[in-house]
Amino acid sequence: MHLSAREVCQLADRCFSAADLSSGMATASAEAIWWTEAYKQAGFTTLQSLLNDLENCETDALTLREQRSIAAVVDCGEQPSLVAGTPVLDLCCSKANHNGSGFAYAAIDEADDTRRTLGYLTHKAAERGF
């Protein structure tokens, strides 16, 4: 099956929106799926592995465990890295904007099937100028 980048994003966004993720989080997650499909040929596999658990995904489950001026530690709870990635990136970029550099750490489970999407965060950080 061949889909355009737009179609990949639309399909993934619909899945995340149907699971009641916020509009911004659904869009960011859909873009991560697109990136993973385009660069690792694993976006659809990643999305499919997550479909049964999508209704359990929520950014409200993330908690800020520790924070310093340039560093932060986020507790992801049971959330996959796809859900935690964008908020942690936003926190890191915010610290870098305010302090010249920023670090954020979030532990993820080794069995997390969405780890393949982490490269997308590097892409987004570079797109933001970091």
Side-chain angles (χ1 to χ4, degrees), residues 2-24:
H2 297 284
L3 297 173
S4 69
R6 180 180 51 80
E7 291 169 322
V8 171
C9 281
Q10 285 177 341
L11 175 64
D13 191 85
R14 286 179 185 155
C15 291
F16 294 120
S17 294
D20 287 332
L21 284 177
S22 70
S23 177

Side-chain angles (χ1 to χ4, degrees), residues 58-66 72-79 84 88 91 104-108:
E58 54 187 316
T59 55
D60 293 343
L62 305 175
T63 57
L64 187 60
R65 198 167 61 182
E66 189 174 334
V73 177
V74 176
D75 183 358
C76 298
E78 300 287 321
Q79 298 305 304
V88 171
L91 178 60
Y105 172 81
I108 59 171

Side-chain angles (χ1 to χ4, degrees), residues 21-57:
L21 284 177
S22 70
S23 177
M25 193 64 210
T27 300
S29 297
E31 289 175 0
I33 293 296
W34 167 82
W35 186 92
T36 306
E37 184 62 30
Y39 291 98
K40 296 187 170 211
Q41 291 77 46
F44 286 124
T45 305
T46 302
L47 180 61
Q48 184 179 15
S49 71
L50 191 59
L51 284 178
N52 291 333
D53 296 324
L54 273 178
E55 60 193 31
N56 297 325
C57 293

